[in-house]
Amino acid sequence: MPAVEIVDSVWLVGSGTHPDVLTDPHDCHCYLIWDGTGGLLVDTGTGLGADAWLANIAEVCDPAALAGAVVTHYHADHAGGTAAAHAAGLPVIASAETRTALAVADESGTSLAPARAAGIYPADYRLSPATVDRVVGDGDTIDTGRLSIEIIAAPGHCDGHLVVLLRRAGQRILFSGDCLFAGGRVSLQAIHDCRLDRYADTVVALAARNIDVLLPGHGEQVLREAGAQIQQAAESFRRLVPPPNVLTG
Ligand SMILES: [Zn+2]
């Protein structure tokens, strides 16, 4: 299955839902940034579709030319492919919280155990221990080729969640993981580290970033004027009301 170019210099290389890039039904969207001089993978899916997204990356660029793979957060649909990325020679980049959890394949800390019990993952699915090569935090940048890509801390959906900001051709492109979705929706789950107060602070701060393009970890992409939708979510949080939950429709 081919990689699909979503916007200039950004490809979808893995997905659980996109019909042309279906790597595994349990995978999040995995995005490849590549401008011809440098690039980065954002999220690694469950690992169940790793061979497919590694092939999709190789279709677009030499994987050895990438700065690595950023894992937005430690939930298995985003981080389960980390071991495969590392084994393929991609340096893994993540928060300290994600590094700690993945080092021991912490299935309770990452909420994989309750999610599997809820039927969200196959009964025999397991998280593989994985190495994080570089820990990043709020305000750090990843320089690759001519690109300088910003990391922003975005807790709320879970602890240690990061989002990735690419400035390209006058546009601000936000890779939001499970933090923000089309329609100004958020992802709220009854798990130990989903924190509404921190989520509110995160979304209000992101609303001030004047984002043009929103590339979330699931669902549709917002290719123009995404800032207005993020602003709606922030306004809702300012009224102390959680925005619509992407998981309830
Ligand atoms: Zn998640």
Side-chain angles (χ1 to χ4, degrees):
M1 65 207 70
V4 172
E5 191 166 14
I6 300 286
V7 293
D8 180 41
S9 303
V10 179
W11 279 261
L12 191 65
V13 294
S15 174
T17 52
H18 193 293
D20 297 333
V21 199
L22 187 62
T23 44
D24 183 88
H26 304 88
D27 281 350
C28 67
H29 294 326
C30 307
Y31 296 99
L32 173 66
I33 301 167
W34 176 252
D35 77 336
T37 69
L40 188 70
L41 177 68
V42 180
D43 279 331
T44 64
T46 54
L48 299 171
D51 289 346
W53 56 252
L54 284 166
N56 287 341
I57 292 172
E59 215 178 71
V60 177
C61 68
D62 176 2
L66 299 176
V70 170
V71 179
T72 59
H73 64 297
Y74 49 44
H75 289 162
D77 53 336
H78 296 253
T82 301
H86 187 78
L90 289 175
V92 175
I93 303 165
S95 67
E97 291 89 341
T98 296
R99 177 179 65 173
T100 300
L102 293 183
V104 296
D106 182 351
E107 294 200 348
S108 68
T110 63
S111 298
L112 174 57
R116 192 173 49 218
I120 296 169
Y121 296 96
D124 61 353
Y125 177 75
R126 296 290 180 275
L127 195 59
S128 300
T131 301
V132 169
D133 300 285
R134 178 181 170 191
V135 169
V136 289
D138 193 49
D140 286 345
T141 56
I142 297 168
D143 296 314
T144 169
R146 286 195 295 264
L147 301 172
S148 184
I149 299 167
E150 184 179 351
I151 299 294
I152 303 170
H157 170 74
C158 70
D159 288 347
H161 195 299
L162 304 173
V163 295
V164 176
L165 180 61
L166 171 67
R167 293 176 180 81
R168 173 92 186 131
Q171 290 202 304
R172 292 168 173 247
I173 302 169
L174 185 70
F175 300 81
S176 57
D178 278 354
C179 175
L180 276 165
F181 299 86
R185 290 171 294 167
V186 296
S187 179
L188 302 172
Q189 288 179 292
I191 54 175
H192 74 95
D193 59 345
C194 185
R195 306 183 196 280
L196 270 177
D197 53 347
R198 301 196 76 188
Y199 216 144
D201 293 343
T202 287
V203 170
V204 167
L206 289 175
R209 292 290 196 131
N210 299 319
I211 300 300
D212 299 295
V213 174
L214 180 69
L215 302 181
H218 304 273
E220 71 226 59
Q221 289 83 20
V222 183
L223 301 183
R224 58 181 61 84
E225 297 175 6
Q229 298 185 12
I230 300 172
Q231 201 60 250
Q232 282 177 13
E235 281 304 318
S236 187
F237 270 130
R238 284 194 192 97
R239 296 193 306 272
L240 309 183
V241 177
N245 188 354
V246 71
L247 297 171
T248 55

